[in-house]
Amino acid sequence: MNTASRGSRRRLLRHAGAILGMLTALGAAPWAWAAEEAPDALIQRLSTEVLDQLRNDKALKNGDIGRVISVVDGKVMPNVNFTRMTASATGPGWRRATPEQRQKLQQEFKTLLVHTYAGALRQVSDQTVEVRPLRAAPEDKEVVVRTWVKGRGEPVQLDYRLERTPGQGSGWKIYDLNVLGVWLVDNYRPQFAQQINAGGIDALIHSLAERNQANARGDKG
């Protein structure tokens, strides 16, 4: 990886704590809110709420893995279509995967994201969120909510792809994120494809598990 690429990655991770922060906010409201609010209003309100939470929760702000995992499991996952996110990152291999492989893959992918962004939570301090005007029709089933995270230095682009979910628990759910012009799914898809081409879904699961184990050892070091 060249110097420019390393610099871009560091900048991405430095601000990526905002991703987990914004996602964390989505667990703060009951489903009734999600059904009544427009997606951009939902992101604006909840973004503000979670930034306040991050400032007051020292364990979360310090990237405490146990605290982050607790928040992700209790608040984030019920409000994100993580199955769609994982399937999109996995690509065609997802259709060939067994239910057990899909479950393992989702768990390892979630753990990877938690470790990746937990450290970046330390960077959250005096940021505010500006939601850009929503370009969507009332009947749209999928929308992109574009925001700027503003604080010290240049504003950070943070966008969300959301889908409207019908029936019980209806409302809007996130299925992809964009930080500094890079969509999360697009970022992981070529990495996942390389592992699947080399050894199938099991090879990808094994690779993710090894990365997560290495991250866990680093947390204890």
Side-chain angles (χ1 to χ4, degrees), residues 8 10-19 22 51 120 123-124 126-132 145-160 177-182:
S8 296
R10 282 195 298 268
R11 185 165 181 249
L12 175 64
L13 291 179
R14 184 168 64 251
H15 297 293
I19 287 181
M22 301 310 136
L51 286 174
Q123 306 299 325
V124 176
D126 58 351
Q127 285 86 346
T128 60
V129 176
E130 176 186 326
V131 177
R132 309 300 294 170
V145 175
R146 305 187 184 279
T147 77
W148 288 106
V149 180
K150 296 183 175 182
R152 299 174 184 173
E154 293 294 321
V156 177
Q157 176 187 347
L158 179 59
D159 301 336
Y160 303 82
L177 303 146
N178 181 329
V179 183
L180 299 174
V182 179

Side-chain angles (χ1 to χ4, degrees), residues 43-112:
I43 292 294
Q44 178 70 77
R45 179 177 61 81
L46 298 179
S47 298
T48 301
E49 289 178 0
V50 77
L51 286 174
D52 290 340
Q53 179 183 353
L54 284 169
R55 295 185 187 105
N56 295 308
D57 188 330
K58 292 183 178 179
L60 191 60
K61 180 176 173 56
N62 289 336
D64 181 278
I65 291 296
R67 174 61 177 148
V68 174
I69 290 175
S70 176
V71 170
V72 169
D73 286 339
K75 292 186 175 182
V76 176
M77 288 300 119
N79 299 282
V80 177
N81 189 340
F82 198 68
T83 298
R84 177 173 178 175
M85 185 181 291
T86 309
S88 297
T90 304
W94 180 262
R95 294 193 296 271
R96 301 191 296 271
T98 66
E100 182 181 5
Q101 287 175 321
R102 291 180 178 183
Q103 183 179 10
K104 289 181 179 179
L105 184 55
Q106 288 186 78
Q107 181 60 47
E108 296 296 345
F109 188 30
K110 183 193 75 173
T111 302
L112 176 66

Side-chain angles (χ1 to χ4, degrees), residues 101 104-105 108 195-196 199-214:
Q101 287 175 321
K104 289 181 179 179
L105 184 55
E108 296 296 345
Q195 293 293 333
I196 293 172
I201 291 291
D202 284 336
L204 173 58
I205 294 171
H206 181 71
S207 175
L208 292 174
E210 285 190 332
R211 292 170 65 178
N212 289 331
Q213 289 168 8

